[in-house]
Amino acid sequence: MSTSAHPSADAIRIAGTVTDRLVEANERYAADFTDPGMDARPVLRVAVVACMDARLDLHAALGLELGDCHTIRNAGGVVTDDVIRSLTISQRALGTRSVMLVHHTNCGLESLTEDFRHELEDEVGQRPAWAVEAFRDVDQDVRQSMQRVRTSPFLLHSDDVRGFVFDVTSGLLREIDPAESAPIDPA
């Protein structure tokens, strides 16, 4: 039984590939499309960095409309060098001033380790140039991401950087205090 409102994988295979279905959906979309007359500068002057998890509908969850923000997504919503690159362009060339970081509960990176990277190297014979950036404590990972944004020399605006954890079961955001540290386990 599928938990999705979309066709099953078997139904998609019969009708063509998933990409075929997406291209067909785009053709229907384009038939009624009207140029909104916007430029690339986000109306709200905010960039949102979030996990790529399919359960996060950021625009709906944050009440955003087309043109409101820049959205940068990757596995874990981790602030990597490429995220800093995108934020730098977003701020310096396109006028954003605020950064919102959105991680979430039950993230797949919580179940991985750097062993994933080593296993890839063993399998394909080449070491990935990137780190997995796995974590065990989502709150601490949000703090680390906030710190990476706040200390980047390339960003013009680091005073309005806030981090959140999205609960995938309730849909609510929980703000993370950047100054709070992880509790120490007395064991």
Side-chain angles (χ1 to χ4, degrees), residues 24-89:
E24 290 168 10
N26 173 257
E27 290 169 358
R28 290 188 300 277
Y29 171 79
D32 296 324
F33 184 79
T34 303
D35 179 358
M38 300 176 191
D39 70 11
R41 296 175 183 274
V43 173
L44 299 179
R45 299 174 73 181
V46 63
V48 179
V49 178
C51 185
M52 66 186 190
D53 193 292
R55 296 171 289 181
L56 275 67
D57 183 348
L58 287 174
H59 276 72
L62 302 176
L64 295 167
E65 300 292 331
L66 182 67
D68 281 349
C69 72
H70 283 158
T71 306
I72 304 162
R73 295 181 80 157
N74 68 18
V78 176
V79 176
T80 61
D81 286 346
D82 193 59
V83 169
I84 293 295
R85 170 189 159 272
S86 293
L87 288 172
T88 301
I89 293 167

Side-chain angles (χ1 to χ4, degrees), residues 6-29:
H6 300 290
S8 70
D10 290 334
I12 290 169
R13 274 193 287 278
I14 293 167
T17 68
V18 172
T19 303
D20 291 336
R21 189 178 121 233
L22 298 176
V23 169
E24 290 168 10
N26 173 257
E27 290 169 358
R28 290 188 300 277
Y29 171 79

Side-chain angles (χ1 to χ4, degrees), residues 139-151:
D139 291 15
Q140 191 58 34
D141 200 62
V142 171
R143 285 185 196 94
Q144 176 177 293
S145 290
M146 285 190 281
Q147 184 66 16
R148 285 178 177 175
V149 172
R150 287 189 172 128
T151 59

